Amino acid sequence: MGCGKSVAPPAGEPSTETPPEKKSTKATSTDLAKLQLRRENWKSNQASFYSWLDQTPEEALEPEIEIVDPHHHLWDMRELAGHNLLGIFKQQYYMLEELLDDCVGGGHNVTHTVFMQAHSFHSADTDPMMAPLGEVLMAQGVAA
């Protein structure tokens, strides 16, 4: 016992350990202010993103052919606040509306697509090994 190991009480006896404190999941005014700032940053960057995207319009060559998109990601990286590492991360927000625009609005006949993780929406208030479940919960919410 002197090595820092805890020993479970015998069966039927109550534990004397105090449970660890759980973090509150309520949004604070600071959290809401950060979210509002992210939304404002995205709105200001959205026009320049679509201007960049419109530089290379793509016409569907055979729009009648059904396409199964091998994968798509969903993410919200607005916390980057417009910063773009080496100019390779053009779109900081890609959710259902953007996916539908790509699948339906581009003239292609995309009939299916597969969700793949993007290492986003990880839960910050849980064990690091369980953090990716936040992305699973987000994907289930989008699919609902």
Side-chain angles (χ1 to χ4, degrees):
M1 284 224 235
C3 299
K5 294 181 181 176
S6 62
V7 177
E13 291 186 29
S15 172
T16 57
E17 290 186 26
T18 23
E21 292 292 321
K22 284 192 171 185
K23 282 188 175 181
S24 172
T25 57
K26 291 184 179 178
T28 65
S29 60
T30 303
D31 294 333
L32 295 175
K34 285 180 184 178
L35 179 60
Q36 184 62 35
L37 180 61
R38 289 176 187 168
R39 287 179 178 162
E40 290 169 9
N41 283 335
W42 172 241
K43 285 179 186 176
S44 68
N45 293 324
Q46 192 175 22
S48 70
F49 168 72
Y50 284 113
S51 171
W52 168 81
L53 190 61
D54 290 341
Q55 291 176 12
T56 54
E58 179 182 287
E59 185 178 324
L61 299 177
E62 299 175 280
E64 69 282 353
I65 293 179
E66 291 186 2
I67 297 173
V68 176
D69 185 347
H71 78 279
H72 71 270
H73 303 281
L74 301 175
W75 65 83
D76 181 351
M77 300 294 185
R78 290 178 290 183
E79 72 270 10
L80 297 176
H83 299 287
N84 189 352
L85 177 66
L86 303 176
I88 58 174
F89 193 65
K90 296 284 186 193
Q91 191 166 8
Q92 294 182 350
Y93 182 82
Y94 191 87
M95 293 298 289
L96 184 59
E97 185 177 337
E98 289 75 18
L99 175 64
L100 290 174
D101 187 44
D102 283 346
C103 290
V104 178
H108 299 283
N109 187 13
V110 179
T111 59
H112 296 80
T113 184
V114 178
F115 172 75
M116 298 292 291
Q117 69 180 15
H119 300 285
S120 61
F121 301 101
H122 284 201
S123 301
D125 60 348
T126 188
D127 180 303
M129 295 297 289
M130 301 301 285
L133 289 179
E135 188 165 9
V136 173
L137 294 172
M138 178 280 308
Q140 287 177 332
V142 168

